[in-house]
């Protein structure tokens, strides 16, 4: 999900051809389209047609085929011209868009990318299952081919904003005789199709931002398949890496100096002098430095990106972000003392937008919401495995079922 950035858009020089191409496209686009006088959907559609949606995508797919970091230049210029910020309810286009652009057929790209970018069609993610969370490749939702359609039966869980989505990124088991990483296929699921049921999952915040989704004899057109049959694992990795990038900070806006630690600074400044203990001030500065190091590291990783699909580095960023948020907002609650226990409404509600940090809804909400950061997008334990194996080169954990047919793997 792209947004206005406070950092330099690119380190390229003025003579860099990619930069000049984007600047020229922006000049021409803004000369013909005034964001302050256009409907936002119409403006974003024209932006897509001009190749200024995801500039690193291919021409005709909402892009110009240039470096991904130039998206920040686009966002800055358009926001300065008065364009509205990206709707947080379209968060999942940061996941589905790159997956479709990388693995989808030309017909699939043409069908889904533009309405996804304009916000006319919102998406959710249908990956985890009650028996296949961290072991995502162990999923059991079945898709059986019936001519030009697939019949899907199964259950998904922890599906963020599925109650608002028009389409879901659905991964299914299409070949139970193949090893678990081989027999998976990826689809775009129409959330309004017959047989799709969305049920709320109430969280400790009082919200039901998460859902469980049941599919009973749901018919999915083969034209909505994303990638080849049996190649769902590869397509899923693209989604997951972009999700970790978005949650970890590489796929969104660069926050101001200090990032989320500024919330703790605000609490500190609100305290009476008698409650400002020197030891807490030292802890505050440590959290601020840690948050700033993470912010600058994410900026560097984003500027050094060479392709649209992130590498394992962003899994490390996602791990750091999760642990930072949990510790930071626990510290904020400690600073508030007994005041942290009051003035919070636990009434059941269905949210209309997404805030993964929770900071825009107050510290008490954030303290509760960030517990999910170490689970969503891959648990912190999985992130540590990726860090150890793919970045540090450590031996992998034993995986005795990797080559065993899925239907022969023992299950609880």
């Amino acid at each position: 999900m792209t947004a206005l950035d406070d950092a330099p858009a690119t380190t390229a020089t003025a003579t860099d051809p990619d930069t000049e191409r984007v600047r020229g496209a922006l000049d021409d686009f803004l000369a013909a389209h005034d964001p302050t006088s256009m409907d936002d959907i119409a403006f974003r559609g024209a932006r897509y047609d001009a190749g200024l949606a995801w500039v690193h995508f291919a021409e005709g797919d909402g892009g110009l085929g240039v470096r991904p970091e130039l998206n920040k230049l686009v966002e800055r210029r358009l926001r300065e011209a008065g364009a509205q910020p990206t709707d947080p309810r379209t968060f999942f286009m940061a996941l589905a868009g790159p997956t479709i652009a990388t693995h989808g057929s030309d017909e699939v790209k043409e069908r889904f990318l533009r309405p996804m970018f304009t916000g006319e069609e919102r998406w959710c993610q249908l990956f985890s299952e009650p028996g296949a969370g961290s072991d995502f490749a162990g999923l059991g939702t079945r898709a059986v081919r019936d001519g030009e359609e697939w019949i899907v039966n199964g259950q998904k869980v922890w599906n963020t904003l599925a109650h608002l989505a028009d389409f879901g990124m659905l991964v299914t088991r299409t070949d139970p005789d193949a090893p678990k990483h081989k027999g998976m296929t990826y689809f775009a699921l129409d959330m309004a199709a017959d047989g799709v049921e969305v049920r709320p999952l109430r969280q400790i915040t009082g919200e039901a931002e998460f859902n469980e989704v049941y599919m009973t004899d749901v018919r999915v057109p083969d034209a909505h398949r994303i990638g080849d049959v049996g190649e769902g694992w590869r397509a899923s990795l693209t989604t997951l890496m972009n999700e970790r990038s978005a949650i970890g900070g590489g796929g969104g806006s660069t926050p101001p100096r200090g990032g989320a630690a500024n919330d703790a600074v605000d609490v500190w400044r609100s305290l009476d002098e008698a409650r400002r203990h020197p030891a807490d001030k030292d802890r505050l500065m440590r959290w601020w430095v840690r948050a700033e190091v993470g912010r600058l590291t994410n900026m560097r990783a984003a500027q050094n990106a060479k392709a649209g699909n992130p590498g394992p580095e962003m899994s490390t960023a996602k791990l750091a972000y999760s642990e930072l948020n949990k510790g930071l907002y626990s510290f904020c609650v400690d600073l508030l003392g007994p005041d942290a226990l009051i003035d919070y409404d636990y009434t059941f509600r269905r949210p209309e937008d997404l805030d993964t940090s929770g900071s825009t809804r107050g510290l008490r909400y954030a303290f509760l919401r960030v517990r999910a950061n170490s689970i969503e997008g891959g648990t912190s334990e999985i992130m540590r495995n990726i860090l150890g194996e793919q970045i540090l080169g450590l031996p992998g954990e034993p995986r005795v079922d990797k080559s065993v047919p899925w239907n022969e793997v023992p299950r609880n």
Side-chain angles (χ1 to χ4, degrees):
M1 179 169 58
T2 54
L4 183 65
D5 193 302
D6 69 343
T10 177
T11 56
T13 65
T15 58
D16 176 77
D18 281 357
T19 304
E20 289 305 303
R21 184 179 181 195
V22 171
R23 286 175 177 164
L26 281 166
D27 291 341
D28 293 342
F29 177 72
L30 288 173
H33 302 87
D34 178 6
T36 63
S37 63
M38 292 181 65
D39 172 78
D40 186 54
I41 289 178
F43 180 80
R44 292 181 70 84
R47 177 179 165 184
Y48 180 93
D49 297 338
L52 296 172
W54 299 277
V55 296
H56 56 291
F57 285 11
E59 293 185 51
D61 296 337
L64 297 172
V66 298
R67 299 189 314 279
E69 63 265 29
L70 291 172
N71 283 303
K72 294 185 177 183
L73 170 61
V74 174
E75 292 294 337
R76 177 181 292 105
R77 283 282 305 275
L78 296 182
R79 290 288 295 278
E80 288 172 350
Q84 296 182 30
T86 301
D87 186 338
R89 292 173 296 181
T90 64
F91 169 81
F92 287 98
M93 76 175 180
L95 286 55
T99 305
I100 290 174
T102 302
H103 302 280
S105 64
D106 290 342
E107 293 76 16
V108 165
K109 295 176 189 177
E110 182 177 358
R111 165 61 186 85
F112 290 114
L113 287 178
R114 193 179 191 276
M116 177 191 302
F117 183 77
T118 63
E120 294 170 275
E121 293 178 349
R122 289 180 288 188
W123 287 65
C124 67
Q125 187 176 357
L126 304 173
F127 276 31
S128 295
E129 299 181 4
S134 295
D135 182 22
F136 170 57
L139 64 84
T141 293
R142 286 295 313 276
V144 178
R145 189 154 195 169
D146 182 24
E148 292 303 309
E149 294 181 318
W150 296 78
I151 302 175
V152 178
N153 286 278
Q155 177 189 359
K156 298 292 181 174
V157 74
W158 312 122
N159 312 119
T160 306
L161 300 187
H163 59 290
L164 302 178
D166 300 292
F167 283 92
M169 295 168 273
L170 172 67
V171 186
T172 66
R173 175 75 48 195
T174 50
D175 185 359
D177 295 318
K180 62 182 183 180
H181 291 82
K182 301 293 185 181
M184 303 160 65
T185 303
Y186 198 122
F187 297 95
L189 174 69
D190 183 349
M191 297 297 290
D194 291 340
V196 177
E197 180 185 2
V198 180
R199 300 180 186 175
L201 287 174
R202 185 172 182 176
Q203 300 149 237
I204 57 173
T205 60
E207 288 185 334
E209 164 196 334
F210 299 150
N211 303 270
E212 50 186 349
V213 177
Y214 293 84
M215 292 152 286
T216 305
D217 293 333
V218 179
R219 289 188 170 270
V220 180
D222 187 60
H224 288 185
R225 175 169 44 83
I226 300 170
D228 293 335
V229 175
E231 292 295 320
W233 176 252
R234 290 181 61 245
S236 300
L237 288 181
T238 300
T239 304
L240 290 170
M241 297 311 292
N242 279 280
E243 181 180 19
R244 292 160 189 169
S245 178
I247 294 175
S253 61
T254 302
R257 292 178 60 208
N262 290 309
D263 289 343
V265 173
D266 290 341
V267 175
W268 176 263
R269 288 173 173 167
S270 72
L271 298 176
D272 295 336
E273 191 65 35
R275 294 177 61 185
R276 295 181 180 179
H277 194 282
D280 286 335
K281 185 175 183 179
D282 181 70
R283 292 171 65 198
L284 172 63
M285 288 309 302
R286 289 176 182 271
W287 281 116
W288 195 93
V289 169
R290 185 172 168 183
E292 180 66 359
V293 167
R295 184 184 80 95
L296 295 174
T297 300
N298 286 345
M299 284 173 53
R300 182 178 61 184
Q303 291 171 355
N304 289 338
K306 301 300 182 183
N309 293 321
E313 296 82 3
M314 292 317 300
S315 295
T316 306
K318 191 268 180 185
L319 170 64
Y321 168 89
S322 301
E323 300 306 311
L324 168 72
N325 273 353
K326 288 196 297 183
L328 176 63
Y329 287 106
S330 293
F331 174 63
C332 288
V333 167
D334 289 344
L335 286 179
L336 288 171
D339 291 342
L341 303 177
I342 60 175
D343 296 330
Y344 184 78
D345 181 9
Y346 290 94
T347 302
F348 175 76
R349 55 198 180 274
R350 292 289 256 164
E352 294 293 318
D353 59 9
L354 177 66
D355 180 3
T356 57
S357 71
S359 59
T360 63
R361 304 183 192 180
L363 296 175
R364 296 162 182 81
Y365 175 88
F367 169 73
L368 298 172
R369 175 60 179 81
V370 298
R371 307 296 108 184
N373 290 167
S374 59
I375 302 172
E376 56 197 353
T379 64
S380 290
E381 291 74 17
I382 293 296
M383 298 302 101
R384 290 186 176 96
N385 280 352
I386 293 173
L387 169 62
E389 296 175 19
Q390 298 188 30
I391 297 179
L392 300 180
L394 300 176
E397 290 188 348
R399 294 177 173 87
V400 297
D401 61 354
K402 192 170 184 179
S403 59
V404 178
W406 177 84
N407 57 11
E408 295 181 13
V409 175
R411 293 175 181 79
N412 293 331

